[in-house]
Amino acid sequence: MNDQTPRNLVIFSNREPYIHAHTRHGIEVQRPASGLVSALEPVMRKLGGLWIAHGSGSADAETCDTSGVIAVPPEDPLYRLKRVWLSPTEQRQYYDGFSNEALWPLFHLAHHQPIFRRTDWDTYTRVNERFANSLSDAELSAASSILVQDFHLALVPQFLRSRISQAQLSSRIALTWHIPWIPSEIYKICPWAKDLLAGMLGADLITFHTASYGINFLESCERLLECRIDRERQTVTFKGRDTKVKATPIGIDPPPLANKNQSTLKGAIFRKFGVSAEILALGVDRLDYTKGIPQRLLAIEEFLDKNPQFLGKFCFIQIASPTRTEVTAYRNFSLRVQSETQRINQKFKTQLSMETSELKVHPLLYCPPIRLVLENQTWESLGELYRAADLCIVSSLHDGMNLVAKEYVWAKGNLNGALLLSKFAGASHELPEAFLFNPYDQEESARLIYTALTASQSELRERMKKMNHRVTARDARAWAEDILSSMTA
Ligand code: ADQ
């Protein structure tokens, strides 16, 4: 932090940094597994200020005061968390509906048709206004910098802007966009495309994870709004005000480094997940259809079909945390991933036990090549998995950044390991030394798994060293500080 560092910081996000929940052991505090929270929390702890978010925990209401405020972190309070309350209908229409059934598929080109409902849009608008108004006049006057997070709250900058202009305040607003921005030809299918842009342009600064998303955004503004675009300065002038657009790639909050050697760790992990193999391949994702999990499973199937010498030696552990389970598309997707896994495991089991197979394995000794773990892991456990894995596969069909790719690279340090990374994840711009591939191309994906597993140790080390250097140099905190200093520049 430098002299330019803003004071009186306010952060808006849908997700809160601390959730109070009733459990069997009484009220417990939970930290959500969220890249966004990890990036901003250290900054908030350092600067103090106010964080406004949806109060989603079952014990949230009874742990804060009547205005929804609680001082956090609970063990050593350094800033204030103000909770916004949503009714079940608001939660369904603003969050499950417009945010996750309309905007999420719209911006991810993942061949899931977005569902645009007028009622969801109306509630989304109302809830955004409520978030903005939950900042009292006194808090707004005191706020020098306001950081609004992500696509759930795209209209908050505009709602705040009208209050800031009326009160003639000088507070600065930044909106950080964590998902891709798509070409305008696709974006304009959203019935409220113009309103959403106008809402966002209430900000002084809008950040994206890659330069190409920023270019797409400028193009959408140019095509859909009456505004002026200055490509040199990367600004949009709309209704007499300038908004700067900037590529600011997010970094990671590194998981703890496991202090054990790779083969000891690998053995412990195989025992923990009940598998036996030599090679550990890993996937870590929310169970989301944009992450390309079925495509990854099919590529593994083709790799094993073509290279049966790896059967029994190769195990792919997919850690997938259930997410957005209120949305039908997510429930169906989870069933699809489970049934593909079963089918592939069963297929190789049958093949191996056939009389004609050259690789005879007793059915009782058969270890399925895919182990699906449908649960959250602790930070420590993730750190161990990353450190032990010979291969990490990130096959997103489209992804703003993808922090898992960076976490793997960070955790590997100077060890050998191969990262297979989708060309359609924002992270591929910063990690060109990964084995980059098109997840829609099953043959290429399968071939690349073989290439990565048979690459020389020196090649793997060389690739990992370069990537590690870049990931370490720019962590989550550096990302947040970059945004804060751009706001005051
Ligand atoms: P996500 O799509 O959620 O967010 P991603 O980049 O995939 O983000 O990161 C997920 C985070 O959750 C990682 O830190 C990962 O370690 C953790 N995680 C995943 N599965 C887990 C599990 N089973 N147990 C514990 N932790 C788990 C959005 C955008 C991304 C962008 C991020 C940050 O979609 O493109 O990178 O925001 O801007």
Side-chain angles (χ1 to χ4, degrees), residues 33-36 38 104 108 150 177-180 209 250 252-253 284-286 288 290-291 319-322 324 373 375-379 382 386 398-404 407 426 479:
S34 151
L36 181 158
S38 315
W104 181 264
H108 280 91
D150 225 355
W177 198 258
H178 292 261
I179 60 176
H209 289 333
I250 192 167
I252 55 161
D253 175 38
V284 177
D285 307 82
R286 283 185 304 101
D288 192 300
T290 61
K291 303 292 181 185
I319 307 287
S321 49
R324 303 176 188 173
V373 182
E375 57 192 37
N376 253 17
Q377 297 294 307
T378 61
W379 249 151
L382 272 189
Y386 287 137
H398 206 190
D399 216 331
M401 174 56 76
N402 194 285
L403 297 177
V404 169
E407 288 163 3
W479 168 78

Side-chain angles (χ1 to χ4, degrees), residues 162-224:
S162 58
R163 290 175 61 201
I164 288 171
S165 337
Q166 276 161 26
Q168 299 192 320
L169 297 171
S170 57
S171 330
R172 311 275 295 165
I173 307 173
L175 171 65
T176 60
W177 198 258
H178 292 261
I179 60 176
W181 193 279
I182 45 177
S184 64
E185 278 306 302
I186 305 167
Y187 173 63
K188 71 184 185 193
I189 70 171
C190 174
W192 304 285
K194 290 182 187 177
D195 310 72
L196 209 64
L197 288 175
M200 296 170 73
L201 290 171
D204 300 287
L205 172 72
I206 302 179
T207 68
F208 295 94
H209 289 333
T210 73
S212 57
Y213 300 153
I215 291 168
N216 286 344
F217 177 77
L218 290 177
E219 191 218 355
S220 295
C221 292
E222 190 168 42
R223 296 259 165 100
L224 297 174

Side-chain angles (χ1 to χ4, degrees), residues 447-477:
R447 195 171 53 242
L448 217 59
I449 295 176
Y450 179 82
T451 307
L453 289 179
T454 53
S456 73
Q457 300 295 302
S458 60
E459 179 188 342
L460 293 178
R461 214 172 1 255
E462 202 45 40
R463 286 173 182 254
M464 196 54 83
K465 203 167 111 191
K466 287 185 179 147
M467 294 193 284
N468 188 273
H469 182 70
R470 229 166 287 129
V471 167
T472 314
R474 199 184 149 76
D475 63 6
R477 202 181 288 212

Side-chain angles (χ1 to χ4, degrees), residues 284-304:
V284 177
D285 307 82
R286 283 185 304 101
L287 196 44
D288 192 300
Y289 55 79
T290 61
K291 303 292 181 185
I293 300 172
Q295 288 76 0
R296 192 179 306 177
L297 298 179
L298 293 174
I300 289 170
E301 180 183 13
E302 181 163 337
F303 157 71
L304 290 173

Side-chain angles (χ1 to χ4, degrees), residues 44 49-50 57 90 106 109 121 124 139 144 159 185 200 241 290 293 338 345 380 385 403 405 439 442 445:
M44 206 49 162
L50 179 66
E90 285 172 331
L106 173 69
L109 306 178
W121 165 251
Y124 179 87
E139 287 163 342
S144 61
F159 285 122
E185 278 306 302
M200 296 170 73
R241 279 193 58 260
T290 61
I293 300 172
Q338 292 176 59
N345 283 340
E380 286 71 19
L385 280 157
L403 297 177
Q442 189 175 310
S445 312

Side-chain angles (χ1 to χ4, degrees), residues 20 68 75 132 140 207 218 254 263 274 278 363 394 446 454:
H20 286 85
E75 66 285 359
L140 182 61
T207 68
L218 290 177
S263 61
E278 289 168 27
V394 174
T454 53

